[in-house]
Structure formats: C-alpha cells, structure tokens
Amino acid sequence: MESISRISSMLETARDLTIEAAQSASAARGLRSNMAPRPLPLSQLKKLLDSRNDREILEGLRRVIGMMYRRSPSCVALFSSVIKNVASASLEIRKLVYIYLLHYAEAEPDLALLSINAIQKALTDPNAQLRALALKVMSGIRVPVISQIVGLAIKKGRGDMSAVVRRAAALAIPKCYRLDPATAPQLLECLAVLLGDRQYYVAGAAVMAFLEVCPERMEMVHKHYRGLVRKLVDMDEWAQLATLRLMAAYARRCFPRRTRWVNKVRARGFYEDDDDGPGEEKEEVQLLDPDLELLLDACRPLLQSRNSAVIVAVARCYLHLATPDHIDTAVGPLVSLLRGPADIQQMALYNIVSICLVRPQPFVKYATRFLLHNRDPPLVWWLKLEVLTIIFPFCGTHLKGVILNELEHFSKGTQEDLVRESVRAIGRCAQSDPSTSARCLRLLLKQISSTDGNLVAESVTVIRHLIQRDPGAHEATIIHLAKNLDTATNPEARASIIWLVGEFASEEENSIAPDMLRILVKGFADESAAAKLQIVLLAAKVYVHHLNRTQQPEKEAASERSAYMESMPAGISEGGFATLAPDVQEPEHNQSTTMGQEHPIVLLWKYVLLLARYDTSYDLRDRARFYRALLADPSSTQLATLLLLAPKPVPHTPSPGESRKDFVLGSASLAIGDGWGLHGLRGYEPLPPWVEEGKEPDPALREEGPVKGDFGGKSQIPAGDRLDSALGDRSAPGAGRNKLNGPSASGKEKTLDDWLAEGQDHEEATEESAEEEDDDDDDDETSEEESESGEEQEHRQLVS
C-alpha cells in the first residue's frame, strides 16, 4: 500500500510539473508574439474561481485582473465568485482578491461588506505583510458604513510591532478622513503617535498624512521637529518631498526672520591713496535660528539625490528660508539636471530662471551649460535664452562675446520662433549692459537687408527700443533705416521705420521726413493697415512742425511791430504818413489762400487726409478725422504739439520670467500658472509669511521628551543598558560584586594575593550569614513553642 501511495503522489507531482511547464511555455509564446491570452467565457471563469484547486483559482483571478485593467464590463458580474476566496490561505490569491475588491467595492457595496469579517481576521494574521495589506484594503473600500471599523483598525495598527503595519496605518488615515470627516479627533490622536515613530519610513508616511488631513496644526509638529529632521536623510523620495514641504511652512510660522547690519570691509582700489585706508560698507545679513540651521544642514546631503524633485525641494528651502550662501550650494545640483531627459530639463530650467532673477551670479560659471543645441525642444531653448540674457551683465568679456555669437548664429536660422527669440534676446542683452549696446546694434543692422520678413521686423522693433534710449546718438541709424525702407516688405517693419522717422527725424527744417512722406504718399493705397496709420501720423507730425516753424517768426515780428507801434504817436505810421482805416487797409499777400501759393507740406497734409477719407478701413478714417479736427486752426497748435510731439517713455523689455518669480519653487504654477492669473493654478498654496518676532512659539516646545518605542507609549531601553542597570541595583548595598570582577577602587591592577584575600573574606562573610540565619531559625522555633504553650493554658482555664 505504501508503494502505491508513493507512486500516486509522484504521478500527481509529475502532473503538476507538466501543467506548470505548459503554462510557462504558453506564457513565453504569448510574450514572444505580443498577444494577450484568449479571453474565457464567464461560465468558465466562474468554474475556475469556484474550484478547490489553488492553482486554478489563481489562474482565474489572473484572467479577471487582466480583464479589469482592459476595462471589461463583465468583471462586475464575477464579484461574488471572487469574494469567496478572500479568506484563502494562499497569499497570492488574497492579494489578487484585494486588488479586485479595491477596484469594484463602490460598484457592489453590499457584497463588499461581506468580506469585512475576513479582512478583520487578517488584521491578526501572524504575517505582517498580510496585516498591512488587510489594513490597506479596508481603508480603500470607499463605503461610508465601515468608517468606524476602519478607525478602530488604524488605532490597532498604530501599536503594531511591525513597522510595515504602522506605515499602512499612517497611509490609511487620509483615506478614512475622506470617507468620514467626523473621525478626525480619533485620527489626529493616532497621527500624533505615528509622527514620533522611530522608524523613518513610518514617520515619512505620517508626514504625508499630516499634510493631507491637518496641515495647519503645527502644534503637533513641535516635539517631533528635531526627530523628523534627523530622519530626513533616510526617508524615501516621496516622504522627503512631503517633509521638506512641511518644514518650509513650519519654518516660516515658527522662526522669525532676524537680520542685523554688519560692517563689510571694502577692498582698496589700486589707484587709491594709502592714507584713505579700506572703506567700510554696511551690509544686512540674516541670522539663522539653531533649529532652522539644523534643518538646512540636514537638507545638504539631499542635493546628491537621484530624484530631481528632491533637489528642487532643497533649493526651495534654501531660496525661501536660508542665506545666499546656501543658495550657492544648490546651483550645481540644479544645473546637473540639464543632463537628464527633456521634461526634466524643462522643469529644472523653470526653477533656474526663478533663482536667476534673485541671484544670478552663481550661474555665471555654468554659462556654457545653457548654450543651445539643435536637438533642444522649443520650451528648453526658450528658457535657455532667458537664462543667458539674465546672467549676461555679470559675465566677463569673453563670455559676453560667446553669448552674442551664439545669438547671432541662431538669429540667422530657419525656425521662425527661434529667430524671433534670438533677436529679442540680443535686445535684452543690449538693454541690460549698455557697454555692449553698440555691438548689439551692429548685429541687428546687419539683419535689415535680410530676405526674411520676420527677422527684419523683430530687428527693427529691437532697434527702435535701443534708439529711444538715446535718440541723439542714433541719427545716422535712422537715416540708414529710412534708406532700407524700400527693401523692407514686412508690414510691422515698415510701420516701425516710419514711426522712427516721424518721431526723431522731423523736427529740423532740412529733415528727411517731408521727402519720405512724399515718397510714401505715392504708394499709399498699396500699403498695409499698420503702415497707413503710421503714414497719417507722420503727415500730422510734419504738418505740426511746419506750423510751429512758420508761426514762430510771425509771432516774433508781430510782437516787435506791436511794440514799435505803441511807441509811435497816434495816427502816424513808420514813414510819417497817416495809416489807413481798418476797413480800407490793403490785404496782406502772405495770407493768400490760392492753391498755387500754398506750401508743399500743407498740400501733402491735405492730400493724405483726402486719401484716408476714402480708405476702406474705418479705423484709419476715424484717425484722420481726429487729426483734422485737432489741426483745424493753424494758429493754435499747442494741444496738437502736446499730443503728437510729447516725449515718449523709454521702453524696457523685462525678462519673460518676471511674471512667475513670485511662485514657489517646484510648484506647477511656476511652469504653467502665469497664464491662469496672479494666483496660479487652482489649489496653489504659497508659503506663509514670516512670523513676527515675539509671536513665535516657545523653543522649549521643540525639546524632545522620552524616546518612544516602536509600538505603544512605553520607553524603549537597549537590552545591554537594562542588564547593566539591573546588575548595578543588585550590587548597590554591598558593592562587593563590582569589585569582584574589576580593578580596585584605587585604579591599580589586582594581584593574586588580593584575589585570594577577597575570596577568603567572601567565604567568611557567607559563613557568618549562614550562622546568623540558623540563629534566627532557632529563635523562631522557641517563640512558636512558647506561643503554643500559652494558648493551651488559656484553653484549660476557660474549660475549668
């Protein structure tokens, strides 16, 4: 019989091995062919799930999970068959059932409640992974009825001996809070215990739960602050991000910003006299709180993290909390992120631009890292150009030349966006560093003769901004632009050139503005709408200058004549003849209104008004009517002069990142929030302001209390310390045991005679103690006999 049973067991083993080999071969064949296994009908799936063989159940669950991730609607019909296996002894089966349960518990809440008892039993399983998984599943079942049960499970998991279970309890707190906010007091009590856990991965999960449940309750963090800072290095990346976010807000609310003025010694120049001595300058420096400095020092090793988000989070703490020296240490790790993928480069550059706007000097030595590559996507090279223009004024002569050469090269490219941004970058470089404005202007003037209309338009716009900074020094530049007007075909470029001529080259009598107006009027009908508006404006400015030039001598002559006439006797003219009466006075020849005697500028002005009157653009017609009404009275040009010839403000082109510099480093609003208004994306939370000095919490609150154990509230003492303390308490009365196995009190080494003498003394002491114990026993026996005899005598007296 034994041989038969042995043979049957071997056959079953061989059968199992054959089935497993066939399944692995089919799976490998399916992987090679990149085809999913053929779906089974629901009846066959139910048969597999209801089987007594764990292998068949596992195969059925794998197929169900595959259907679930393919979003098959028939998976819900298998809910009852899957839930039957929630109490299976196989760990793999339980995991797959839990995954299915988390996905479809909301669809079948009544059936999901049937599995709660089995999950509660799993909370007491000897396997810590099963306990943690059961707690995760129970908190993930989004059925409000079980919120109290989930709260009790979290409370039980809070004191579990396994750190894996305690971590699961910490991660279950936000889920339970979202399920039922009324359980907040109980959850906060558990959270306060988990924040002080000695295991760093439990404390990190507790921090993430804290930020989601009660981010304003900073009083819960006081006594755990230093412990969390020390555990920061050992946490995983997600916990480090949550802890750094919490600590940034905590530092703003609990550490006041203290500064003081110090004397900074200024180095004496080479040509300064020795008697003057080195100068002193006042400089405001920030004083760091010791606890804040502890946080900043703990963040330093995280700059070597493999996670780019952690590096950005450390840079955020240094930028918003620390001194400029700390910011300099984060520059290198941030720049190193540019070696990553394109998306990492883009987010790193957004943060680099934000730091550059505050402190650009540390990035100068990394200027070559921001040079453009052909493979860079648009957003990457756009941000690189912005960084180069920000650090340009702080670079040396050699680096400035390299940057301008790069910008000149890309301004001649074929990508319209890159050409436009390169020309704008050249303009920003010229504005930020006046010493290079002449070279930048020469680079831009070379582009005027280009056949690319977009390049010419951007170049003219930037040149216009540079000319407005110092119009007197760029008269030849304006004439050069006017000569190239015939070759400029872009409407914006022509409009900019016409505006420059009218603004800065129409004041003098021999200016080129009237002649240019004469040429432009010939092709007025063929011009673009923007150019027509500038031609009408040019005509109005030329006409106003003409009126001012002609009226000024007439006003001076009239004033001299009136003064002379007042000095002559009444009725006598200059030659001694009587003046005619006003009604018979001869008309002046200079006031003739005939068409042939009018000035050419007046004729041009009237002709331009006539052309604009019949133009198809109503904006142009309205503008022409406005100028006609403004200049209707040639004798009164004060208002027209004030409106048309007033000096224009010098344009300043800010960096595109100026609109985003107030957003917190590392936030999504820093990358895409400027298009959503001043407050960024929905859900964006800025850092709180610094707490006022005198209103910060007491630093004694951050003093650490007794060390909490891994579970429960009892203090944990190492086993060696407990053994030493027990031996010390036992040997305290005689203190002989401490001397028995160690050096003497005098600190000298014991000899053999000393050891023997101590042994004899110990033996005599033990013998004396034994004799004393025998005497005590004899005394006890005699006292007991006397008490018994006394009791017998009392009994006899009572009987008699």
Side-chain angles (χ1 to χ4, degrees):
M1 295 297 293
E2 293 181 359
S3 61
I4 294 175
S5 61
R6 188 177 301 174
I7 292 172
S8 62
S9 63
M10 292 175 62
L11 290 174
E12 287 184 2
T13 306
R15 176 178 172 272
D16 295 341
L17 291 174
T18 305
I19 293 174
E20 289 180 0
Q23 288 178 352
S24 61
S26 62
R29 188 165 55 253
L31 289 175
R32 285 195 300 269
S33 60
N34 294 326
M35 293 177 61
R38 185 177 61 183
L40 297 177
L42 293 181
S43 59
Q44 195 168 352
L45 282 175
K46 287 184 178 181
K47 185 177 179 180
L48 288 174
L49 295 173
D50 297 338
S51 176
R52 296 183 179 181
N53 190 351
D54 290 346
R55 184 179 294 106
E56 294 180 355
I57 296 174
L58 191 59
E59 177 65 22
L61 285 173
R62 285 174 179 171
R63 289 181 176 271
V64 170
I65 297 300
M67 293 170 59
M68 181 183 74
Y69 285 114
R70 289 194 299 269
R71 297 183 179 180
S72 177
S74 58
C75 286
V76 185
L78 300 170
F79 196 92
S80 58
S81 300
V82 173
I83 294 302
K84 289 179 183 178
N85 302 295
V86 72
S88 176
S90 175
L91 181 60
E92 295 183 358
I93 293 177
R94 283 196 188 183
K95 288 182 179 179
L96 294 178
V97 172
Y98 288 160
I99 292 172
Y100 181 88
L101 186 60
L102 286 174
H103 199 81
Y104 289 110
E106 280 187 315
E108 297 287 344
D110 297 333
L111 292 176
L113 293 177
L114 299 177
S115 62
I116 296 299
N117 292 332
I119 297 175
Q120 280 185 302
K121 291 179 182 179
L123 293 173
T124 59
D125 195 275
N127 191 341
Q129 291 186 354
L130 269 180
R131 297 199 303 271
L133 189 58
L135 184 55
K136 178 182 178 181
V137 172
M138 184 177 291
S139 60
I141 298 175
R142 294 177 290 272
V143 180
V145 181
I146 63 170
S147 60
Q148 296 298 329
I149 301 176
V150 176
L152 293 176
I154 293 173
K155 187 175 182 181
K156 185 177 181 180
R158 174 192 70 179
D160 197 277
M161 296 179 63
S162 174
V164 179
V165 181
R166 297 199 302 276
R167 176 181 172 82
L171 295 176
I173 288 177
K175 300 177 184 177
C176 184
Y177 179 75
R178 289 194 297 266
L179 192 63
D180 186 9
T183 59
Q186 180 182 355
L187 297 178
L188 292 180
E189 181 182 353
C190 298
L191 190 58
V193 176
L194 293 171
L195 282 172
D197 197 282
R198 295 185 62 180
Q199 296 294 337
Y200 54 87
Y201 43 88
V202 179
V207 170
M208 289 188 281
F210 176 85
L211 289 175
E212 189 167 350
V213 175
C214 52
E216 303 294 331
R217 298 285 299 273
M218 290 298 173
E219 65 274 6
M220 296 175 60
V221 186
H222 290 321
K223 59 181 178 180
H224 306 302
Y225 172 80
R226 295 174 184 171
L228 291 173
V229 169
R230 283 194 294 268
K231 299 185 190 81
L232 183 60
V233 181
D234 299 321
M235 293 179 181
D236 61 282
E237 287 89 350
W238 293 107
Q240 286 173 350
L241 291 174
T243 306
L244 288 173
R245 178 185 165 195
L246 171 63
M247 291 306 164
Y250 181 88
R252 284 294 191 97
R253 292 176 178 172
C254 299
F255 303 132
R257 185 178 178 85
R258 298 187 179 95
T259 57
R260 70 174 180 181
W261 291 91
V262 297
N263 294 327
K264 183 180 180 181
V265 179
R266 179 177 56 85
R268 184 171 55 86
F270 182 78
Y271 294 101
E272 293 184 7
D273 297 334
D274 295 338
D275 298 337
D276 297 340
E280 291 186 354
E281 299 177 352
K282 291 287 187 179
E283 183 181 8
E284 187 179 10
V285 297
Q286 182 181 356
L287 300 178
L288 297 178
D289 190 274
D291 286 330
L292 178 57
E293 197 166 0
L294 178 67
L295 170 63
L296 299 176
D297 292 339
C299 292
R300 193 180 301 271
L302 301 184
L303 292 173
Q304 311 300 325
S305 176
R306 61 183 179 181
N307 193 322
S308 58
V310 175
I311 297 176
V312 173
V314 175
R316 177 178 65 233
C317 289
Y318 283 170
L319 178 64
H320 298 293
L321 304 178
T323 59
D325 296 335
H326 290 85
I327 302 176
D328 297 347
T329 60
V331 169
L334 277 175
V335 175
S336 66
L337 297 179
L338 299 180
R339 295 194 293 264
D343 52 349
I344 300 296
Q345 291 184 38
Q346 180 183 343
M347 298 310 300
L349 284 169
Y350 273 119
N351 294 278
I352 288 173
V353 168
S354 185
I355 298 177
C356 271
L357 293 172
V358 179
R359 188 171 175 81
Q361 294 87 349
F363 292 93
V364 173
K365 59 182 179 181
Y366 302 104
T368 55
R369 300 285 187 89
F370 302 106
L371 298 179
L372 276 63
H373 301 283
N374 291 329
R375 63 180 182 273
D376 288 338
L379 281 175
V380 172
W381 58 250
W382 182 70
L383 291 168
K384 283 185 176 180
L385 287 176
E386 187 173 359
V387 175
L388 289 175
T389 56
I390 293 174
I391 66 176
F392 182 80
F394 305 94
C395 296
T397 306
H398 173 69
L399 276 179
K400 288 180 180 178
V402 171
I403 293 174
L404 289 177
N405 289 335
E406 286 288 318
L407 295 178
E408 182 183 7
H409 170 72
F410 286 104
S411 65
K412 299 176 181 178
T414 57
Q415 301 182 31
E416 294 184 3
D417 295 338
L418 182 57
V419 169
R420 180 172 58 252
E421 292 299 328
S422 299
V423 173
R424 290 177 181 176
I426 293 174
R428 291 200 297 269
C429 290
Q431 288 184 359
S432 61
D433 189 8
S435 63
T436 60
S437 59
R439 180 180 177 181
C440 295
L441 188 60
R442 288 195 300 271
L443 293 177
L444 295 172
L445 288 174
K446 291 180 183 179
Q447 317 294 346
I448 297 300
S449 58
S450 175
T451 57
D452 188 357
N454 294 322
L455 175 59
V456 174
E458 290 296 332
S459 300
V460 171
T461 303
V462 175
I463 290 172
R464 176 170 62 85
H465 292 170
L466 295 178
I467 290 175
Q468 285 185 257
R469 298 175 67 89
D470 188 9
H474 296 91
E475 294 181 359
T477 305
I478 298 175
I479 296 175
H480 179 73
L481 291 174
K483 291 179 179 179
N484 288 273
L485 183 61
D486 295 336
T487 60
T489 58
N490 188 277
E492 297 296 332
R494 294 181 64 84
S496 296
I497 295 175
I498 295 170
W499 184 88
L500 281 173
V501 172
E503 185 69 19
F504 302 112
S506 58
E507 295 184 8
E508 300 179 0
E509 188 173 359
N510 56 351
S511 66
I512 62 173
D515 194 36
M516 186 175 176
L517 177 62
R518 177 183 60 81
I519 296 172
L520 290 172
V521 165
K522 294 179 181 179
F524 183 85
D526 299 329
E527 296 287 347
S528 62
K532 288 180 181 178
L533 287 173
Q534 295 302 325
I535 291 172
V536 174
L537 179 61
L538 174 63
K541 289 181 179 179
V542 170
Y543 183 58
V544 169
H545 282 299
H546 169 70
L547 293 179
N548 291 336
R549 285 194 299 268
T550 56
Q551 289 181 4
Q552 187 67 23
E554 292 180 0
K555 289 180 180 179
E556 294 178 357
S559 61
E560 293 177 358
R561 185 179 180 85
S562 61
Y564 179 76
M565 292 299 295
E566 289 177 357
S567 62
M568 296 292 294
I572 304 297
S573 64
E574 298 183 31
F577 299 97
T579 59
L580 297 174
D583 53 351
V584 296
Q585 190 173 358
E586 296 179 359
E588 297 182 0
H589 295 283
N590 57 356
Q591 293 182 357
S592 175
T593 59
T594 60
M595 185 66 71
Q597 297 180 359
E598 284 187 334
H599 196 275
I601 293 179
V602 180
L603 296 177
L604 282 174
W605 167 244
K606 291 182 178 180
Y607 184 59
V608 169
L609 291 179
L610 187 63
L611 291 174
R613 180 178 180 182
Y614 296 102
D615 195 85
T616 57
S617 174
Y618 47 83
D619 289 336
L620 184 62
R621 297 197 299 269
D622 291 344
R623 187 69 58 87
R625 282 194 293 268
F626 170 72
Y627 291 151
R628 181 188 294 111
L630 186 65
L631 298 171
D633 187 6
S635 61
S636 177
T637 60
Q638 294 180 357
L639 182 59
T641 303
L642 182 63
L643 291 177
L644 298 177
L645 305 180
K648 308 301 187 294
V650 178
H652 175 70
T653 306
S655 176
E658 290 284 345
S659 61
R660 303 187 305 269
K661 68 177 183 179
D662 294 331
F663 291 119
V664 177
L665 222 64
S667 60
S669 296
L670 182 65
I672 57 177
D674 53 344
W676 295 76
L678 298 176
H679 303 291
L681 298 173
R682 182 186 300 175
Y684 169 75
E685 294 181 1
L687 284 176
W690 290 95
V691 64
E692 298 181 7
E693 192 169 0
K695 295 183 179 180
E696 71 274 11
D698 189 3
L701 295 174
R702 289 187 288 274
E703 295 292 337
E704 294 179 320
V707 182
K708 297 291 183 183
D710 282 352
F711 58 95
K714 297 180 180 179
S715 61
Q716 182 181 10
I717 304 174
D721 296 343
R722 291 203 301 268
L723 183 58
D724 292 341
S725 62
L727 289 175
D729 295 340
R730 187 173 296 178
S731 60
R737 186 166 301 189
N738 288 340
K739 294 181 179 180
L740 186 61
N741 296 321
S744 60
S746 60
K748 299 178 181 179
E749 294 184 358
K750 293 182 178 182
T751 61
L752 182 59
D753 297 335
D754 296 335
W755 285 103
L756 293 174
E758 288 183 359
Q760 292 176 358
D761 295 339
H762 184 63
E763 290 176 358
E764 292 176 358
T766 54
E767 290 176 357
E768 291 176 359
S769 61
E771 292 176 358
E772 291 177 357
E773 289 177 358
D774 294 338
D775 295 338
D776 294 338
D777 294 339
D778 296 338
D779 294 338
D780 294 337
E781 291 176 357
T782 54
S783 61
E784 288 177 359
E785 293 175 355
E786 291 176 356
S787 60
E788 290 177 357
S789 61
E791 290 177 357
E792 290 178 356
Q793 292 177 0
E794 291 179 358
H795 181 67
R796 290 174 183 175
Q797 290 176 1
L798 291 173
V799 171
S800 60

